[in-house]
Amino acid sequence: MTLDIPNLKDFDARLRDEAHEEPTLEIPQGEPTKKTQIIAIYGKGGIGKSFTLANLSHMMAEMGQRVLLIGCDPKSDTTSLLFGGKACPTIIETSTRKKLAGEEVKIGDVCFKRGGVFAMELGGPEVGRGCGGRGIIHGFELLEKLGFHDWDFDYVLLDFLGDVVCGGFGLPIARDMAQKVILVASNDLQSLYVANNVCSAVEYFRRLGGNVGVAGLVINKDDGTGEAAAFAAEVKIPVLAAIPQDDDLRKKSANYQIVGSYESQWGPMFADLATAVGLAPPVRPAPLTQDGLLGLFSAEHTGADFVLTPATDADMRGKYAGVKASLEVVYDNV
């Protein structure tokens, strides 16, 4: 009797090929059932997510909504703006300190209030001493222990760094923790590159059965050149607001002043944004290719028409370039 032994090399190759295949079947989507809108905001570092979120959350609270703002960026700058520059204890550092003391973390240790907004920071590890994405996962695990799923809020706003694409920062999309995503970008290639990456992640997990969609784009520091609006049109998402590039906004943000209030001249703009955020449905985006993204900008600024010239072996060797003796064995004809 002969045994049918599988070819393990062929089996391994098939598994590797399957792992690189994009899913082709979209699983039917279900409607979110929880009344709380959990919204993840993504954008390039420094593009103004924290400025947008701090003022948006404050405006929502003034409009009578119960709002929880969670900073999920290792820089911990979300709540700093809300609290006038005051840094609050992060969940990660508080958890570490309490664990060493044999104590449990309580809500009052990590959650603080201003203007009707409840806010907390997940935080991150010290530089070079841990993984920021893993810190995000640990932070949400602790929130679940504190009763996150039983809290009563109209909106939970999550501030995520969009530059980092690891699993921790992709948590709301990959695990359906949020119902929708809002992108913050400006009229520059780098911030739109990050926004497009997030759209790609949303699209990928939608094909795997996820329910998260993109509610729209907030254009921050809008100088009127139009690239961000063109991007939104191409990926088929709405523009929720265009926050102008204004010196008054820049100064107030730098001084940790809240402008998302009816007492500010900018209040109506953030009130309109708050309404748009609440009503905008999560849609499935159509992410662009790299060439498509470059096509939104003038070629003289991006190098979109640059032709790649392949390097040669001689180029790499430089002054050591030369004809190498062949190691091929040549046999004389007999």
Side-chain angles (χ1 to χ4, degrees), residues 127-150:
V127 176
R129 299 190 184 182
C131 169
R134 178 57 201 154
I136 297 297
I137 295 172
H138 170 71
F140 275 104
E141 289 173 346
L142 181 57
L143 286 182
E144 290 181 355
K145 293 179 181 178
L146 290 173
F148 177 77
H149 298 294
D150 298 322

Side-chain angles (χ1 to χ4, degrees), residues 21-76:
E21 290 179 3
E22 292 291 331
T24 56
L25 178 64
E26 181 182 3
I27 301 174
Q29 309 300 314
E31 292 295 325
T33 57
K34 190 169 182 174
K35 83 173 186 70
T36 303
Q37 284 203 45
I38 302 179
I39 304 172
I41 290 82
Y42 283 89
K44 175 181 174 293
I47 202 60
K49 297 184 311 302
S50 299
F51 163 80
T52 302
L53 272 181
N55 288 290
L56 172 62
S57 61
H58 193 275
M59 193 71 241
M60 284 178 160
E62 281 198 12
M63 296 170 70
Q65 305 293 335
R66 285 178 53 81
V67 183
L68 172 63
L69 175 61
I70 303 179
C72 308
D73 187 326
K75 296 194 304 297
S76 300

